[in-house]
């Protein structure tokens, strides 16, 4: 087994629920020659600004979007990728896609860069960190921290017929000023609800969550699904704050600092307080309303 020594250490995750694609992408970049972009890429790819909320807070809300746009969004941040995406296709098509992906995955491991892949142990994105041609098995690092092995044949064919692989291959000569400008444009597009999605997205996602918290019935507000949503999207806001802070955009940095802190407090309150209490639900709702106001103000500045 040729295996890279990769962990989630160094990838900032304030809640333990950071959106798995963003976390895996950041970790892959951190363990590449382009490690200076490991935090930037979460914002410059637009994911720091993305939110998708289903009416029932189903965790699948985070995986119902156009995977095919991953390369253009990552390239926005100055990186190039090899991208393989084959979802819900006939078995022969999926097998061809897997066969095409295998040598490219091995090449990346040989270069010392882990590979972002969907459903390598749990139904989230994680990292392929090694391979063994004799046993035809990958070494994997799941988003929950588990390390394991997976047969080559299960790639894209474990719980769902969805093969999604992203391999970091290089860096472009895109100017930083252009990256910042295009990051703002991506953020505007998503916050304004312009990216196709069947669930509430962007600023509309706030209204969905706040409506759930303001109901008399506490069941959904008190559920693990609410914890997952608060943790997944709240942790992303830190990357928006730090991106704008790093590049001297003080107004936006200040707003996103408040956005992040409000989401983080919401998450911590959900984790520690009795959410059957209307008072506690109201406290979380008020924090999200504050974050919404700040992000609405940020949209006007982007």
């Amino acid at each position: 087994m040729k295996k890279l020594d990769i962990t989630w250490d160094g990838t900032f995750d304030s809640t333990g629920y950071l959106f798995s694609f963003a976390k895996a992408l950041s970790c892959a970049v951190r363990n590449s020659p382009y490690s200076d972009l490991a935090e930037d890429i979460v914002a410059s790819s637009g994911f720091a600004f993305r939110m998708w909320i289903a009416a029932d807070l189903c965790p699948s809300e985070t995986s119902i979007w156009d995977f095919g746009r991953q390369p253009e969004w990552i390239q926005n941040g100055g990186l190039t990728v090899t991208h393989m995406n084959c979802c819900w296709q006939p078995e022969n098509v999926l097998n061809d896609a897997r066969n095409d992906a295998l040598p490219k995955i091995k090449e990346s491991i040989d270069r010392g860069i882990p590979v972002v892949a969907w459903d390598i142990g749990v139904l989230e994105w994680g990292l392929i960190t090694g391979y063994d041609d004799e046993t035809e098995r990958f070494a994997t690092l799941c988003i929950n921290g588990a390390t394991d092995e997976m047969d080559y044949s299960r790639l894209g064919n474990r719980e769902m017929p969805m093969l999604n692989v992203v391999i970091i291959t290089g860096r472009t000569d895109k100017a930083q000023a252009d990256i910042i400008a295009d990051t703002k444009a991506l953020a505007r597009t998503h916050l304004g609800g312009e990216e196709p999605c069947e669930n509430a997205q962007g600023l509309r996602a706030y209204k969905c969550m706040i409506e759930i918290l303001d109901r008399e019935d506490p069941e959904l507000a008190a559920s693990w699904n609410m914890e997952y949503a608060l943790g997944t999207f709240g942790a992303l806001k830190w990357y928006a704050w730090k991106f704008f802070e790093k590049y001297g955009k003080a107004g936006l940095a200040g707003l996103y600092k408040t956005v992040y802190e409000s989401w983080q407090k919401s998450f911590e309150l959900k984790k520690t307080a009795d959410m059957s209490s209307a008072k506690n639900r109201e406290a979380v709702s008020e924090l999200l309303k504050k974050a919404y106001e700040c992000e609405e103000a940020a949209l006007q500045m982007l």
Side-chain angles (χ1 to χ4, degrees), residues 17-181:
Y17 287 100
L18 176 63
F19 177 46
S20 62
F21 181 78
K23 187 169 183 175
L25 176 63
S26 181
C27 188
V29 175
R30 184 178 303 283
N31 289 280
S32 79
Y34 324 108
S35 58
D36 58 307
L37 298 180
E39 291 178 359
D40 285 16
I41 197 61
V42 178
S44 59
S45 62
F47 285 101
F49 309 95
R50 292 193 171 95
M51 297 170 281
W52 309 275
I53 296 294
D56 61 355
L57 297 181
C58 178
S60 67
E61 64 201 1
T62 62
S63 58
I64 302 176
W65 47 278
D66 186 0
F67 296 177
R69 300 192 67 184
Q70 290 164 337
E72 65 177 280
W73 289 339
I74 295 169
Q75 189 162 334
N76 183 76
L79 294 171
T80 59
V81 298
T82 294
H83 177 253
M84 285 140 285
N85 189 51
C86 183
C87 299
W88 305 103
Q89 296 298 314
E91 186 174 359
N92 65 309
V93 176
L94 179 59
N95 289 341
D96 287 345
R98 183 185 305 108
N99 290 335
D100 183 49
L102 283 173
K104 297 170 184 175
I105 292 170
K106 295 175 193 177
E107 288 170 10
S108 186
I109 300 300
D110 290 344
R111 291 187 295 117
I113 305 175
V115 172
V116 179
W118 166 259
D119 189 18
I120 54 168
V122 295
L123 280 171
E124 296 273 2
W125 281 273
L127 291 171
I128 296 174
T129 59
Y131 69 91
D132 187 332
D133 281 338
E134 289 188 6
T135 61
E136 296 190 343
R137 290 173 70 81
F138 293 118
T140 59
L141 174 63
C142 290
I143 200 66
N144 60 10
T147 56
D148 206 343
E149 295 183 7
M150 182 182 76
D151 291 344
Y152 289 176
S153 62
R154 301 302 299 278
L155 181 65
N157 193 31
R158 207 182 68 86
E159 289 195 33
M160 294 180 177
M162 296 173 63
L163 187 149
N164 182 243
V165 172
V166 176
I167 300 171
I168 305 299
T169 56
R171 187 171 191 159
T172 70
D173 59 0
K174 186 173 183 177
Q176 189 59 54
D178 292 335
I179 291 175
I180 294 169

